[in-house]
Amino acid sequence: MKILVEEEAFSYYLTQEIIKKYPYEVIPTYEDFRWKAWASQAELVSLGKRFLFLIRFKGRFFRDCPGTKNYLCCGYKIFHFAEGCLFDCTYCILQLYLNRPGIKLWANVVEDGFQELERVLNNARKEKRVLRIGTGEFADSMVLEPFGGVSEKLINFWETLNPFAVLELKTKAFIKENYFKKFKSDPKIIFAWSLNTPFIINTEEHGTSSLEQRIESARYAIKHGFTVAFHFDPIIFYENAEAEYPQVLEKVLNAIPWEKIAWISLGALRYPKELKYIAEERFPQTSIYAYEFIEGLDLKKRYFIDLRKKLFQSLAKIIKEVEDKITFYFCMEGERIWEEVLGKPLKSSNQVCQLLDQVAYRLCQS
């Protein structure tokens, strides 16, 4: 990977830390970098994974998760430290949303981002309001650790500030045990893994760690005093999906102490219609876009509700056996799915938020 540093990003702490370890090149600005003018967007997405840009970010680091009022959202907050991912999943929405190619790490995250985050956390404490904050929305939380170590810095920041908030670090990476040994135990730090069946991991999640490695990493996290979470998102329909997703959930529940799991989310494949054309150009072998979809209330393509229910209900029997010990929730679904699959008559996003805030509150009191 080639590292390119914007001139105005050169003096920041993170930049200086990275260029001591890796070769780099200084460029005037990101906008001055010349991509192949004839390349399609699909080609630029692939090409961009070869370049890491260190950029001075001028927007807000702390923001709401981009949900939609048409489905029930969980009130998640995002600390925005980077854009892009070294992994290459066929369904990744970043292929479409990030119309600026390349992987971008905000050089001023320590000086400006942490300062903004500290203000937010201090205000939340004054208001006696618990926060759930994550970094895995626009970038994998862990895959860039060898370069900037931003997650490590955030964990240390949490130890220093001791905020009334949980930090969720979501990833598809294998994290070795030595990484966890560097920190003091803290249940407010939640290491979370996106999970899928071995079939989907092997065919659609290119460059990611295996299911066994993700579960092994979770066991390391627990061993060293952290909390874990899991996200079955996206759940993708294929011939054996209804048999294999429950097997993955059983494997997790057999390997991980239930009381150490903050929450488990469920979300079926959904995507903006334009993503299909970019993804199929980049991954001609994928078949996940070949099924019948309907346009949802958020204008994203979704499976018909009967198929979504069928996929979720394949997990429901197991969920019912442990739901008094583990909090399950749906990502971007409506009242009907909550009621008919989990038997929970949730009517508003605020109720989903309260459900997860209760877990966060308990972890902050630990």
Side-chain angles (χ1 to χ4, degrees):
M1 175 177 287
K2 189 170 186 177
I3 297 176
L4 301 167
V5 183
E6 279 191 334
E7 286 179 353
E8 66 174 352
F10 190 80
S11 62
Y12 286 106
Y13 178 83
L14 195 66
T15 300
Q16 290 299 308
E17 191 175 66
I18 291 172
I19 65 176
K20 288 177 183 176
K21 298 185 291 185
Y22 300 101
Y24 67 96
E25 178 183 327
V26 177
I27 57 175
T29 68
Y30 171 85
E31 285 71 22
D32 291 320
F33 185 75
R34 295 186 177 276
W35 299 96
K36 293 180 178 179
W38 62 88
S40 66
Q41 183 170 350
E43 291 171 321
L44 287 176
V45 172
S46 298
L47 181 62
K49 290 185 178 289
R50 305 179 195 171
F51 297 91
L52 174 63
F53 293 88
L54 295 175
I55 296 174
R56 179 181 170 238
F57 184 58
K58 298 169 185 171
R60 290 184 299 109
F61 288 87
F62 185 80
R63 56 181 70 178
D64 293 337
C65 184
T68 172
K69 63 182 179 180
N70 296 310
Y71 294 97
L72 303 188
C73 303
C74 74
Y76 197 59
K77 306 297 182 183
I78 295 168
F79 184 67
H80 185 43
F81 79 101
E83 287 182 356
C85 185
L86 291 173
F87 298 142
D88 214 1
C89 300
T90 61
Y91 53 76
C92 181
I93 203 168
L94 298 181
Q95 297 173 95
L96 175 67
Y97 276 4
L98 303 183
N99 52 14
R100 302 191 307 165
I103 297 171
K104 297 166 286 291
L105 186 57
W106 310 140
N108 55 326
V109 66
V110 174
E111 290 88 345
D112 299 332
F114 280 31
Q115 187 178 69
E116 181 183 334
L117 182 59
E118 184 172 359
R119 287 196 301 269
V120 169
L121 292 171
N122 286 336
N123 287 337
R125 183 183 287 278
K126 289 176 186 176
E127 297 168 4
K128 298 181 180 179
R129 177 169 49 94
V130 70
L131 291 177
R132 289 173 284 111
I133 302 171
T135 62
E137 188 69 22
F138 297 99
D140 185 285
S141 296
M142 300 302 299
V143 74
L144 293 176
E145 276 298 274
F147 297 97
V150 174
S151 291
E152 179 177 344
K153 292 174 176 59
L154 278 169
I155 294 169
N156 291 330
F157 183 74
W158 241 250
E159 181 187 342
T160 301
L161 201 62
N162 190 27
F164 198 63
V166 296
L167 173 67
E168 185 174 23
L169 303 171
K170 190 185 298 183
T171 187
K172 294 187 181 81
F174 172 60
I175 308 173
K176 295 181 180 179
E177 184 174 6
N178 283 342
Y179 182 84
F180 301 105
K181 289 179 178 179
K182 295 188 283 188
F183 311 109
K184 291 183 178 179
S185 64
D186 188 350
K188 295 192 296 296
I189 306 297
I190 303 170
F191 285 91
W193 281 267
S194 297
L195 297 184
N196 229 301
T197 64
F199 174 78
I200 294 296
I201 291 172
N202 292 334
T203 58
E204 311 294 340
E205 297 186 351
H206 306 294
T208 65
S209 62
S210 68
L211 175 63
E212 288 73 19
Q213 287 176 319
R214 298 180 205 188
I215 294 174
E216 183 180 359
S217 293
R219 294 178 70 176
Y220 292 149
I222 290 168
K223 178 180 177 182
H224 292 280
F226 299 101
T227 307
V228 297
F230 301 99
H231 299 280
F232 286 80
D233 195 354
I235 295 174
I236 296 173
F237 177 72
Y238 61 97
E239 184 179 357
N240 296 318
E242 293 168 75
E244 293 181 2
Y245 278 104
Q247 291 172 3
V248 175
L249 180 55
E250 286 182 337
K251 183 171 288 191
V252 169
L253 297 178
N254 287 334
I256 304 297
W258 301 352
E259 69 275 10
K260 299 297 183 181
I261 301 174
W263 43 64
I264 297 177
S265 75
L266 308 172
L269 177 66
R270 58 209 178 274
Y271 61 91
K273 61 183 179 181
E274 298 84 1
L275 178 64
K276 168 184 168 72
Y277 309 108
I278 297 171
E280 289 185 334
E281 182 179 341
R282 296 190 65 229
F283 305 102
Q285 78 286 358
T286 187
S287 61
I288 66 173
Y289 300 98
Y291 297 96
E292 191 172 7
F293 293 87
I294 190 171
E295 192 169 275
L297 297 173
D298 54 1
L299 303 183
K300 291 181 180 178
K301 293 293 185 179
R302 292 170 170 261
Y303 298 127
F304 283 87
I305 192 166
D306 286 343
L307 179 54
R308 300 204 309 275
K309 277 180 57 180
K310 195 175 179 183
L311 289 168
F312 293 143
Q313 285 172 336
S314 72
L315 297 162
K317 182 180 178 181
I318 302 172
I319 292 172
K320 292 294 184 183
E321 294 174 356
V322 300
E323 64 180 351
D324 60 330
K325 302 290 185 182
I326 302 171
T327 298
F328 287 82
Y329 71 98
F330 291 108
C331 186
M332 304 309 298
E333 282 291 350
E335 300 173 27
R336 183 178 167 188
I337 290 292
W338 277 92
E339 175 71 46
E340 296 182 11
V341 177
L342 292 186
K344 294 183 182 294
L346 271 64
K347 303 295 183 183
S348 69
S349 294
N350 187 52
Q351 288 179 296
V352 182
C353 186
Q354 290 175 358
L355 181 71
L356 299 180
D357 282 352
Q358 289 174 2
V359 179
Y361 186 88
R362 172 175 53 80
L363 293 174
C364 287
Q365 295 293 330
S366 299

